[in-house]
Amino acid sequence: MKPTLEDGLRALREATELAASIRIELDAEYLRAIAIAEALPENQSGADKTWVWRMEHAFREHFKRLRPL
């Protein structure tokens, strides 16, 4: 049976209802790791983040050249 637009919309409605009941608990160790990462100089406002664009470009160029075996 081919999925219809209505099937997709129904799935989204059901997922939305389920999402409200999902609870994720973060332990102290995880929160500490996040705080350490956020405190790094390269994660501060105004820090040079142009490397992100260069890495994304390199990533896309690499996978653009790949061909199936």
Side-chain angles (χ1 to χ4, degrees), residues 24-39:
I24 298 173
E25 295 182 24
L26 306 177
D27 63 13
E29 184 179 349
Y30 182 82
L31 293 173
R32 183 175 165 272
I34 295 296
I36 290 170
E38 289 178 343

Side-chain angles (χ1 to χ4, degrees), residues 35-53:
I36 290 170
E38 289 178 343
L40 292 171
E42 59 266 29
N43 291 330
Q44 299 307 303
S45 180
D48 178 22
K49 295 179 181 80
T50 56
W51 66 271
V52 175
W53 297 104

Side-chain angles (χ1 to χ4, degrees), residues 57-66:
H57 178 72
F59 170 85
R60 291 181 185 278
E61 289 299 312
H62 171 77
F63 284 98
K64 185 168 42 173
R65 290 189 298 269
L66 293 182

